Amino acid sequence: MSHRPDKEYEQLRVSGLHAFYGESHILHGIDLVVNRGELVTLLGRNGAGRSTTLKAIMNMVGRRTGSIMINGEETMSCAPHHIARLGVGYCPEHRGIFSALNVQENLTLPPVVRSGGMSLEEIYSMFPNLYERRFSQGTKLSGGEQQMLAMARILRTGANMLLLDEITEGLAPVIVEKLAEVLIKLKNKGLTIVLVEQNFHFAAPLADRHYVVEHGQIVEEISADELEAKQSLLNDYLGV
Amino acid sequence: MSMIFGVPLAVLAGQLLIGVINGAFYALLSLGLAVIFGLLKIINFAHGAMYMLGAMSTVILFDSLGVNYWVALFLAPLLVGAVGVVIEYFLLRRIAGQDHIYSLLLTFGVALLLGGVLTNIYGVSGLRYAMPDVFQGGMKLGFMFLPYYRLWVIVMALLVCFGTWFMIEKTKLGAYLRAGTEDSQLMQGFGINVPLLISLTYGFGVMLAAFAGVLAAPIYSVTPVMGSHILITVFAVVVIGGMGSIGGAIITGILMGVIEGLTKTFYPPASSAVIFLVMVVVLMFRPSGLFGKEA
């Protein structure tokens, strides 16, 4: 199934995006489109600019040029808290669990940005471990539990586009499996997901499309049904 | 008369009381500094000036508009808090993210400016502020005489300190502050208006200083330089307690006041140096402070 962007609702359109950290020029003109309800991955090697792309969408890098449209609205001049309020949920690399807050405080920290988010009860039934440990210090949880918490945190807010950065990094296979189940559920709910992922075997069966990022640019776009044909090309890019 | 280590009980109790009262002021002031340092990472050298503004505005509001003590208790901190928000919005925000030294120098400059302007108008000899009538007198406790106003200062300082601690540790707004202390950028990425939170936090921190200033007006000499005297001691208290620790600031403040009071009783020449001596010892053995997190 190939998506035709012009026929669907464009939730995110990034055009000619450049980003800088101080003097270093990280993104060199990223162009990508994500439609509502799609799960799109950004693949590439470490340092290719995938995480920076997510951060740039959130306006969390130094300087940016180009254009980022969310729901058809230009956001280059928006502060990060305005971007979140357009329905964007950001799950940072290394999870960003606050050690000064307990699990429940971490979970309820992000304000509700849209209606239709999951209730605390729904979240606890999806992640029973979090309920059991709701009064523990956030950073006392295991890595897997912290990742569940980082995901659960943005599901409560009603965000309908999730930017997920390396959510499987360093986690046991059984946890990774659980995360895949969660992503499938979220996709079935119609959420739009942009996934930065190192673990291609995790991402491949879930995603509708893949963008390959290299040296701060998109070098290849591969839809799910082209994956088999382009596997060797992709392996070259990823260096596997 | 009963004696303890060769000191009459009444003298000891009197010095302890003065120690607790000074400690209450240290606690209020260092609490505000800790709140500001936690979220803004700013070492607020204007804090003494905000304390002074609280006391001065109480006197000036009374002399020019007849505003009484009870109204001043709310009005003066609100006015000074508003001054703080203006300072944050127009000055501190421009140097956010720079090295600590910039905000330290900037707030020091603000303190000098405020002190200088007010000295020019009111001089340094001190303004008089009459004690409200209800607080005249005190109670005899047998071993000592406790003036009502001193009791009021201790109770109010403890209430405000506890209230602030509760707000920060136990409420949603406090969760924002604690989280912002760790990663304010991610907080903003969740949709929280962090720039506004920062302005209000600075305003709240200086409100605490101004509140201490109102409490001080009837018992201390109210002058444009009163803040710079107490500020250095309060910084020592914050260093001892641990930069950014809320509970640590409160406990250390009161403890240091008491230690100062005891030193006054047993070895008066060391009383103005003892807090700094404690600071040196704490820095040698626990550089992050008694209640600070190990770096």
Side-chain angles (χ1 to χ4, degrees):
Chain A
M1 50 165 197
S2 169
H3 289 267
R4 301 302 314 157
D6 52 346
K7 286 189 185 162
E8 298 187 21
Y9 182 89
E10 267 181 26
Q11 189 139 17
L12 173 69
R13 171 176 282 277
V14 176
S15 334
L17 177 66
H18 290 252
F20 306 80
Y21 280 118
E23 291 294 299
S24 19
H25 191 170
I26 311 290
L27 300 184
H28 297 261
I30 294 273
D31 296 288
L32 59 85
V33 175
V34 181
N35 297 312
R36 175 161 288 171
E38 266 194 314
L39 196 159
V40 172
T41 69
L42 302 183
L43 302 173
R45 302 185 199 210
N46 277 333
R50 299 165 304 148
S51 295
T52 306
T53 303
L54 295 192
K55 279 194 182 159
I57 293 169
M58 294 306 299
N59 191 4
M60 286 182 174
V61 293
R63 195 160 66 81
R64 307 171 304 160
T65 61
S67 159
I68 299 170
M69 312 277 280
I70 296 173
N71 299 326
E73 190 180 323
E74 180 58 58
T75 65
M76 285 300 278
S77 56
C78 288
H81 61 277
H82 288 131
I83 293 170
R85 289 186 178 275
L86 296 172
V88 184
Y90 173 59
C91 179
E93 202 178 358
H94 309 308
R95 301 160 197 143
I97 301 302
F98 295 100
S99 71
L101 309 186
N102 68 25
V103 170
Q104 185 144 313
E105 285 174 326
N106 263 291
L107 195 51
T108 55
L109 182 78
V112 171
V113 293
R114 288 178 76 257
S115 60
M118 290 168 72
S119 68
L120 212 51
E121 291 74 36
E122 283 176 280
I123 282 173
Y124 280 142
S125 72
M126 198 180 218
F127 306 102
N129 285 12
L130 296 183
Y131 179 75
E132 279 162 32
R133 305 206 56 189
R134 62 194 184 281
F135 299 123
S136 305
Q137 187 187 345
T139 45
K140 288 269 162 68
L141 298 184
S142 72
E145 288 169 330
Q146 285 191 36
Q147 189 61 63
M148 300 295 173
L149 177 55
M151 293 275 297
R153 190 162 62 174
I154 49 176
L155 299 180
R156 203 188 56 88
T157 66
N160 60 0
M161 176 163 72
L162 310 183
L163 311 180
L164 310 178
D165 197 349
E166 297 280 13
I167 58 171
T168 63
E169 198 180 20
L171 297 181
V174 54
I175 309 283
V176 173
E177 234 167 81
K178 168 82 180 170
L179 281 170
E181 283 169 29
V182 170
L183 286 193
I184 290 168
K185 273 188 205 163
L186 298 180
K187 220 181 139 185
N188 291 340
K189 277 173 166 271
L191 268 68
T192 308
I193 300 173
V194 182
L195 189 65
V196 165
E197 194 46 67
Q198 197 72 254
N199 183 345
F200 179 69
H201 298 289
F202 169 75
L206 302 171
D208 299 305
R209 280 184 302 129
H210 306 273
Y211 284 107
V212 182
V213 184
E214 201 167 78
H215 305 306
Q217 284 175 314
I218 303 286
V219 291
E220 191 70 43
E221 182 188 340
I222 304 173
S223 65
D225 47 2
E226 297 170 322
L227 202 54
E228 234 169 287
K230 290 191 173 178
Q231 188 68 53
S232 68
L233 177 72
L234 186 59
N235 288 351
D236 284 348
Y237 278 125
L238 303 180
V240 285
Chain B
M1 171 65 79
S2 52
M3 307 278 278
I4 294 175
F5 298 123
V7 175
L9 181 61
V11 173
L12 181 63
Q15 287 299 341
L16 267 181
L17 174 68
I18 291 174
V20 172
I21 287 172
N22 286 339
F25 283 107
Y26 297 157
L28 272 178
L29 289 167
S30 58
L31 179 62
L33 277 179
V35 168
I36 290 170
F37 183 80
L39 187 64
L40 284 79
K41 301 289 179 266
I42 278 177
I43 301 169
N44 185 32
F45 255 77
H47 214 64
M50 297 298 141
Y51 164 74
M52 175 273 287
L53 275 187
M56 291 285 288
S57 57
T58 303
V59 179
I60 295 165
L61 282 171
F62 180 74
D63 288 349
S64 57
L65 299 170
V67 174
N68 71 30
Y69 177 83
W70 305 104
V71 177
L73 209 51
F74 291 93
L75 188 58
L78 280 177
L79 286 175
V80 177
V83 170
V85 170
V86 168
I87 290 173
E88 195 285 325
Y89 189 83
F90 288 103
L91 299 175
L92 293 172
R93 185 162 293 193
R94 290 165 198 278
I95 54 164
Q98 305 274 10
D99 193 87
H100 287 335
I101 194 77
Y102 289 91
S103 57
L104 191 154
L105 287 173
L106 180 68
T107 50
F108 187 47
V110 168
L112 290 177
L113 260 175
L114 288 171
V117 168
L118 288 172
T119 301
N120 210 26
I121 303 172
Y122 296 100
V124 289
S125 54
L127 306 175
R128 281 190 50 76
Y129 186 72
M131 176 86 63
D133 286 339
V134 270
F135 294 120
Q136 298 297 342
M139 56 176 97
K140 293 193 178 72
L141 298 176
F143 57 95
M144 66 177 292
F145 178 75
L146 176 61
Y148 290 131
Y149 191 74
R150 310 265 162 172
L151 183 65
W152 164 255
V153 167
I154 294 170
V155 170
M156 284 311 286
L158 287 180
L159 272 180
V160 169
C161 283
F162 179 77
T164 304
W165 173 86
F166 184 85
M167 191 267 288
I168 290 174
E169 297 295 335
K170 302 290 170 199
T171 68
K172 178 88 186 188
L173 183 62
Y176 285 172
L177 285 178
R178 280 176 285 143
T181 300
E182 280 180 56
D183 188 345
S184 59
Q185 195 190 35
L186 180 56
M187 288 254 300
Q188 199 172 359
F190 285 150
I192 294 159
N193 189 343
V194 172
L196 178 68
L197 187 67
I198 284 177
S199 283
L200 294 180
T201 302
Y202 190 78
F204 177 73
V206 303
M207 266 177 80
L208 288 174
F211 182 76
V214 183
L215 287 182
I219 45 175
Y220 291 161
S221 167
V222 178
T223 78
V225 293
M226 66 191 286
S228 53
H229 293 163
I230 199 168
L231 183 68
I232 301 302
T233 313
V234 169
F235 267 115
V237 169
V238 171
V239 170
I240 294 166
M243 248 345 201
S245 161
I246 302 299
I250 299 170
I251 295 168
T252 313
I254 292 173
L255 199 66
M256 287 306 116
V258 170
I259 287 181
E260 203 178 42
L262 287 176
T263 313
K264 260 188 200 130
T265 318
F266 292 104
Y267 189 63
S271 63
S272 56
V274 66
I275 289 179
F276 300 98
L277 199 67
V278 174
M279 180 178 84
V280 169
V281 174
V282 166
L283 281 177
M284 280 167 67
F285 295 100
R286 265 189 82 92
S288 53
L290 294 178
F291 299 88
K293 288 195 187 78
E294 293 292 337

